[in-house]
């Protein structure tokens, strides 16, 4: 039965989310059950593409990515795919009328990771972040706002700024892995051999500005989405604070993280603030 295959497809995307990101998975659990699965479906898809370009080093990445592109095109057109992740993703795309240009921009940025390792200009940096993060935030926003196009347009810019903030925090946190394992440098202002307090401070200031703008959108989100997105926001804000308090040389040599016990405390704080309408 097709319904069974669709169920298994959705379960696959849910399992991918839980396996690859405990923090994001925890935030998704705070969303309303009515939209939770669709966010799993989006994450499953973006994680699949990201894994191809970031970790499948013993295989022909370009060939695998080309196959994914072709399968994606067919899935969106035929509204079915034998790839469970794509089958789940196309369901969400068609359910919420997620624009094709958002998907195209995401695939373009992922493809850049196949051959580009250094981003020398702000324009290149912004283009990559738009495709790798901003549009993912917009895909999720389509789910959060349903068919309310007016609400989507109102929250579009804050959603993009929040996506940018999350991605930039990831860049700073993963500096060691990106430089040593993938030989990438996304920050055009960053000289990896001479990372200093001033450069780090400038990057963090940029991220804080994005977070502040993103928060303006969070408080206007529908109730079904607000708690989950706010939880993710608080977690990334805490991670940024840890990066802010970490010497540059340690950021380059160690992956900074938020311990599980702190995450539980943050979750309790988020619930209190949400429950008593502090946000």
């Amino acid at each position: 039965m097709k319904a069974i295959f669709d169920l298994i497809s959705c379960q696959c995307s849910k399992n991918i989310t839980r396996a690859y990101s405990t923090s994001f998975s925890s935030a998704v659990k705070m969303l309303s059950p009515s939209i939770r699965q669709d966010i799993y479906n989006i994450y499953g898809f973006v994680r699949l593409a990201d894994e191809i370009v970031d970790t499948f080093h013993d295989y022909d990445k370009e060939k695998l990515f080309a196959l994914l592109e072709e399968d994606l095109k067919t899935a969106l057109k035929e509204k079915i795919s034998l790839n469970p992740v794509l089958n789940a993703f196309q369901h969400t795309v068609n359910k919420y009328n997620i624009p094709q240009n958002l998907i195209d921009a995401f695939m373009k940025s992922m493809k850049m990771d196949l051959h580009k390792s250094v981003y020398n200009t702000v324009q290149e940096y912004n283009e990559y972040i738009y495709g790798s993060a901003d549009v993912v935030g917009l895909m999720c926003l389509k789910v959060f706002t349903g068919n309310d196009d007016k609400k989507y347009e109102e929250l579009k810019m804050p959603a993009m700024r929040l996506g940018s903030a999350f991605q930039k925090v990831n860049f700073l946190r993963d500096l060691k892995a990106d430089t040593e394992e993938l030989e990438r440098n996304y920050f055009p202002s960053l000289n990896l051999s001479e990372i200093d307090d001033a450069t780090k401070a400038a990057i963090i200031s940029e991220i804080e500005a994005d977070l502040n703008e993103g928060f303006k959108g969070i408080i206007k989100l529908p109730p079904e989405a607000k708690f989950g997105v706010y939880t993710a926001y608080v977690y990334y804000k805490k991670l940024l604070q840890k990066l802010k308090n970490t010497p540059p040389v340690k950021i380059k040599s160690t992956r900074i993280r938020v311990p599980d016990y702190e995450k539980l405390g943050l979750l309790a704080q988020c619930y209190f603030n949400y429950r008593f309408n502090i946000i």
Side-chain angles (χ1 to χ4, degrees), residues 48-49 52 64-73 86 107:
L48 176 61
I52 291 175
L64 289 175
F65 196 82
L67 288 171
L68 177 66
E69 279 190 301
E70 192 60 34
D71 288 346
L72 173 62
K73 186 186 302 182
L86 293 182
M107 294 297 280

Side-chain angles (χ1 to χ4, degrees), residues 10 15-16 49 66 95 109 117 131 138 158 179 186 257 264 270 274:
C10 289
N15 288 342
I16 287 173
K95 179 180 178 182
S109 282
S117 58
L138 292 179
T179 56
Y186 294 105
R257 60 185 297 274
L264 289 174
C270 290
Y274 176 75

Side-chain angles (χ1 to χ4, degrees), residues 146-271:
N147 295 315
D148 189 340
D149 293 337
K150 183 179 179 181
K151 194 70 172 177
Y152 174 79
E153 290 299 324
E154 178 188 0
L155 299 180
K156 188 174 179 179
M157 189 55 65
M160 291 171 63
R161 294 292 293 272
L162 193 63
S164 290
F166 289 176
Q167 182 69 299
K168 292 169 187 176
V169 170
N170 289 340
F171 286 164
L172 201 55
R173 177 198 62 188
D174 297 334
L175 199 59
K176 181 178 186 294
D178 284 342
T179 56
E180 294 182 3
E181 299 172 22
L182 301 175
E183 298 181 339
R184 293 181 193 150
N185 177 22
Y186 294 105
F187 294 112
S189 61
L190 183 61
N191 183 335
L192 295 175
S193 63
E194 300 176 2
I195 179 172
D196 56 21
D197 287 316
T199 303
K200 189 193 81 168
I203 292 172
I204 287 177
S205 177
E206 179 183 315
I207 297 171
E208 288 176 333
D210 285 333
L211 281 174
N212 290 337
E213 290 302 311
F215 182 74
K216 294 177 183 179
I218 292 174
I219 60 179
K220 297 179 181 179
L221 282 171
E224 294 83 359
K226 184 183 291 186
F227 182 33
V229 180
Y230 176 64
T231 300
Y233 162 84
V234 169
Y235 166 74
Y236 270 90
K237 193 171 183 180
K238 181 65 175 181
L239 182 54
L240 182 63
Q241 186 62 44
K242 284 184 171 289
L243 289 164
K244 191 173 185 177
N245 295 333
T246 301
V249 66
K250 189 173 181 181
I251 290 177
K252 188 181 175 183
S253 61
T254 308
R255 191 177 193 266
I256 307 302
R257 60 185 297 274
V258 178
D260 290 342
Y261 74 89
E262 286 192 40
K263 290 178 183 177
L264 289 174
L266 292 175
L267 180 58
Q269 172 195 330
C270 290
Y271 181 75

